Amino acid sequence: MTAGRLLLVRHGRTAYNSQARLQGQVDIPLDDVGRWQARTAAALLLARHDPTAIVTSDLTRAHETAGFLARAAGLDLLADPRLRERGFGVWEGLTGEELRRDWPDEFAVWRAGGQPEGVGAETRAEVAARTLEGITEHVGALGRDDTLVVVSHGSAISSAVGALLGMPQDWHGFTGMLNAHWTELIATRGDIAPSWRMVGYNLGPTDASSDWNAGPDAGHSADSETRDPD
């Protein structure tokens, strides 16, 4: 058996997001906007879905985001380190400008979709393997009428979704997800491959303010680089 529906939710905004810093596995909490995003997104998600279980990355920003949803749904949280963000080694905490300046060759390789060498970053294949393992285990504990919510991170979710849909490991067809938005998949019935089908990507309450990334009625433009690049 497997859960019939899978929702993969990205965490709310952090100070690193607002500063366009690469987070990786730095354990940074949500900022005030991120907490507002998490509350707002939880309300909309629960208006549309009835989660059976909620599993979260053990990093604080994801765990806090999941907490808003779990309290509103009356469910317990299960933390799983396999759902952590992609590790970026010595690049973690740096801005794109700093990476271009100090690691120009490696940064160019990464932005072109390659694997930067010598920085201690996880490969996309490694991230896909561990997130897929964790998600498969958790959906396997549920039944066809159940909905599993996984709260994780931008690069981790895009890698996991690619693996769940059977895409090649070097495929870069997904744009970056907004904070506190989600991807919805439903299980394929029968023996048709892949085992999951996508219902929607980057879903969420973007109309809750004039600028979702800046918070409620902030009135200024957000830098698109605040999303973790992948």
Side-chain angles (χ1 to χ4, degrees):
M1 294 295 291
T2 186
R5 190 175 306 274
L6 173 62
L7 304 174
L8 298 109
V9 183
R10 188 187 177 203
H11 62 81
R13 198 188 83 166
T14 70
Y16 271 22
N17 287 144
S18 66
Q19 298 163 9
R21 295 187 181 276
L22 187 60
Q23 292 182 116
Q25 296 184 1
V26 174
D27 198 11
I28 186 170
L30 299 178
D31 63 11
D32 288 342
V33 170
R35 287 185 285 274
W36 169 79
Q37 289 176 337
R39 288 194 303 270
T40 305
L44 179 61
L45 189 149
L46 291 177
R48 297 179 177 178
H49 301 285
D50 185 16
T52 307
I54 304 172
V55 184
T56 179
S57 157
D58 61 341
L59 294 179
T60 299
R61 59 191 184 270
H63 202 280
E64 285 186 324
T65 301
F68 285 100
L69 182 62
R71 288 190 293 272
L75 295 172
D76 293 329
L77 275 182
L78 176 63
D80 189 334
R82 291 174 294 186
L83 304 176
R84 285 185 175 189
E85 179 59 298
R86 181 181 180 183
F88 282 100
V90 297
W91 280 5
E92 294 185 348
L94 301 180
T95 65
E97 181 179 345
E98 290 168 334
L99 293 175
R100 290 186 188 93
R101 181 192 67 207
D102 299 332
W103 303 81
D105 295 338
E106 293 83 356
F107 184 73
V109 168
W110 179 46
R111 295 306 292 176
Q115 174 64 26
E117 299 293 336
V119 303
E122 282 186 286
T123 66
R124 288 174 58 87
E126 288 169 340
V127 179
R130 64 170 168 81
T131 54
L132 179 63
E133 177 185 65
I135 291 169
T136 300
E137 178 180 309
H138 295 298
V139 296
L142 301 176
R144 278 286 185 179
D145 295 329
D146 294 328
T147 295
L148 176 67
V149 176
V150 171
V151 183
S152 186
H153 311 263
S155 291
I157 289 174
S158 64
S159 296
V161 171
L164 288 163
L165 296 179
M167 303 306 296
Q169 293 176 350
D170 59 351
W171 191 72
H172 291 75
F174 297 120
T175 61
M177 286 177 61
L178 292 168
N179 290 110
H181 280 54
W182 60 87
T183 292
E184 180 179 353
L185 305 177
I186 57 172
T188 303
R189 298 190 180 275
D191 296 326
I192 302 172
S195 299
W196 294 91
R197 292 182 292 165
M198 181 180 289
V199 175
Y201 182 80
N202 208 20
L203 306 172
T206 52
D207 58 352
S209 69
S210 58
D211 187 342
W212 174 253
N213 284 339
D217 303 320
H220 66 271
S221 297
D223 184 346
S224 63
E225 288 296 320
T226 59
R227 305 182 204 176
D228 291 336
D230 180 29

